Amino acid sequence: MAALVATEAAASPDPAEAAETAEAAELSRVLSRMLPGLEADSKLGRRRALEALQRTLEAARPEAPDGDPAAAAAAFQGPWARLLLPRLLRCLADPAEGCRALAVHLLDLGLRRAARPRDALPRLLPALAARLAGPEPARRPPPEVCEELRLALVQLLHRAIRLSGAALAPHLDDAVRVLRCTLLDPFAAVRRESCECAAGLARATPDHFHMQSESLIGPLMQSISHQHWKVRVAVIEATGTVIQFGSGKSVDDVLPHFAQRLFDDVPQVRQAVARVVGGWLLHLRDRYSFLHRLIPLLLSSLDDEIPEIACGAAGLWEQVGLRWQMENEEDLKDKLDFAGPPPAHHPSPGSRPGLGCRELVFRNLSKILPAICHDITDWVVATRVKSAQLLAVLLLHAEGHITQHLEPILRTLLHACADEEKAVVRSCTRSAELIGTFVSPEVFLKLILSMLRKSPSPSGLLVFASVIRGCPREALRPHVKVIAVELAHAHICQGSENRLYGERLLQCVQAVVSVSREDCRGAGVPLMEVLVTVLALWGPAGLGAKVQEALAELAAVESVDGSQDLFRAHVGALLERLAASHRDWTGHSTGFLQFDVVLAHSGPALGEALPQLVPILRSCLQPARDPPMRLKLFSTLSGLLLGAWETVDSQGQFHGYLDTLIKDIFVPNLQWHAGRTAAAIRTAAVSCLWALVSSGVLSDEQIQEVQEMLMPQILTTLEEDSQMTRLISCRIINVFLKTSDGVIDPDKFIKIYPELLKRLDDVSNEVRLAATTSLVTWLERVGNEAGKCYYQSNIQHLYRELLVYLDDPESAIQDAVLEALKAGSVLFPDLLVREMEAVLHKHRSPTHCEQLLQHLQGLPPAP
């Protein structure tokens, strides 16, 4: 009975299968009527046949009786594979572009509706390869000349890959051959679609793709610099997937191209690089072999100018560190179990990199550093900037492990800090600060000071200043004096005349003061010596204001009120150091320039340092010493003497050194010597003497002492070629005469007025007026003399000469001479009247003579 039932069941077909077969048969009959048109000789006929097929397939969608889509697809599979597919593939080579386009569209439609699209692969893939790759893709363009159709064919390939999955493995060769050609297609859209297709192929055939993946790397890398940024992004993402599912051997070939894309102007491209490299560090099978190559690429994105890219890279890097930490938990067990807080001096303790990130950098630092040290001196600016930024990121992760690589790092920073690009220098100073933060001063001082001793340079000083700035105060405290003394040594302090060198040297001092604060009190003298040197050598070049700021900072930490008090505290030690070399100074000697700065800025402190100051002045102002130095020193000394109450005589002790000043300084330098240089020095000496006698610091008795020693020399300087010298000499004589009080020897006194009288013929009216003023004083001094009759013949001669100048062409001279004659008329008025009457008829105008006569008539009669 059972056998009978089974026989009946087999004899009666399933209703669904019967309906499916009927639908397929109906579709086959419809298609059979249309397919012959595809073989028509005319292009129009073939096109009409294809359009009819399109309308039929899009309008008549076979449906199973029960509405099952799978059954409908199964009903379509037979007619599609048996009738439609072969003929449509032949249409791909149709001469008419429109027919080829319709064929591609119908093939895409068929793949989507077929139950088993993978069954089409043995015919479809060779046909696509024939149209897109050709027999020799490296030499000939693809047979398909229409770029829109090439794009449609690649999209058809992509569709086949998505629908077929792993079934594509036997046809991998054809698919790769197509992609190798289309990845280099002139049409940008074709390249982008090919990149997506390559990534899809890698995902679809993970077990076989690694055998073919390397052949795609070459075309991908040729497209990675395409002018369209969307193509570049697609290439980068496709490369990531191809290598992820392919062979890791290609990583070394790809990374140089990825590194170049980090400099891309388009943010999306840089973001794609960070995303792909981060994915490799997380998921690439052989990633441990490439850590030292991949880590720099991801860390370089942490300093990207676009915050979104930097944040994304930071998130990926954190994931990489956590994953590596989990995978190596046994090795890190002690560090995980006994993890301490961040170092107290960490620059950013709140955002300290995780343990996994720090360990990754530390363990690969020895492999990464040589490349960075090379690239940081590259001729391309962008490469140098990126390398400098990366170095700072690595040092932040390495922390105390920097020590074992310190020498090459410092050598690299020494070169990089001389870069003309500010961004490079800025990142390198940041790296140097991190060295100061994480490395013990005993270690970095030994290396840095050795480099500076061997070859001091602005870049070396900048590195030193940055390291000090990053060093914790507690760690630096025992070494402050050593640093200050080293900076004050001549080979560093006077290492160059370059302004930049002085600026960097000043930064070193500022770093020591700002970090050490009160700890640098014991190093005040060498620090002051450095600041004085900077002010002496580079103050005129524009560093004066910065040095004053540094002096104010040093004064604040030493608890003194301003820079003058700071000089007061150290002027003795500074002069003592300078005195050791003053015998060898010239006008360009650094020691002399330092001495000049000390004189100009010490103020009242000079009054306390006279025992050390005066011997140096006496030695440096001897006639045998360098003339430019003497000129400069006389100029500085003049300024000091003009304000003597607030400088050299602040303690009231200057008079004790007056004799030395006159005999050993003024007398030798006022002696006449041939030459313009000697004349210039005499002018400087006369100016300095005028500052002394006009400052008010000397009493009348002291001025008389000066007059007794210097009057002959001053009378000589009245004949100097320099108008300034003659003018100042007249004024000095006037002061001498006003304070003489009859103590001048009559024979010497008589010799004064002829010299002054000669100056009335001077080419300068200013000198003539000054000489006239001095003659007035001389006449007044004669009036105070008890034996004025002794001078009668001289007075008569003076009257006679002055009356000549009373008719001078210059009215100012006439007025001055008139006043002189009025002042001298009280001596011998009758004599003056006789002399005037003798010359009155010779004057061009009798006005001034008449005024003088009126004055004489008003005088009381002579006794």
Side-chain angles (χ1 to χ4, degrees), residues 612-627:
Q612 297 162 291
L613 175 62
V614 173
I616 298 176
L617 289 173
R618 181 177 58 219
S619 173
C620 293
L621 288 173
Q622 292 306 302
R625 300 298 297 274
D626 183 56

Side-chain angles (χ1 to χ4, degrees), residues 715-733:
L715 290 175
T716 303
T717 58
L718 287 172
E719 301 291 338
E720 290 287 342
D721 293 335
S722 168
Q723 173 189 331
M724 180 62 68
T725 307
R726 300 195 303 272
L727 176 62
I728 296 174
S729 298
C730 290
R731 291 174 177 173
I732 292 174
I733 291 173

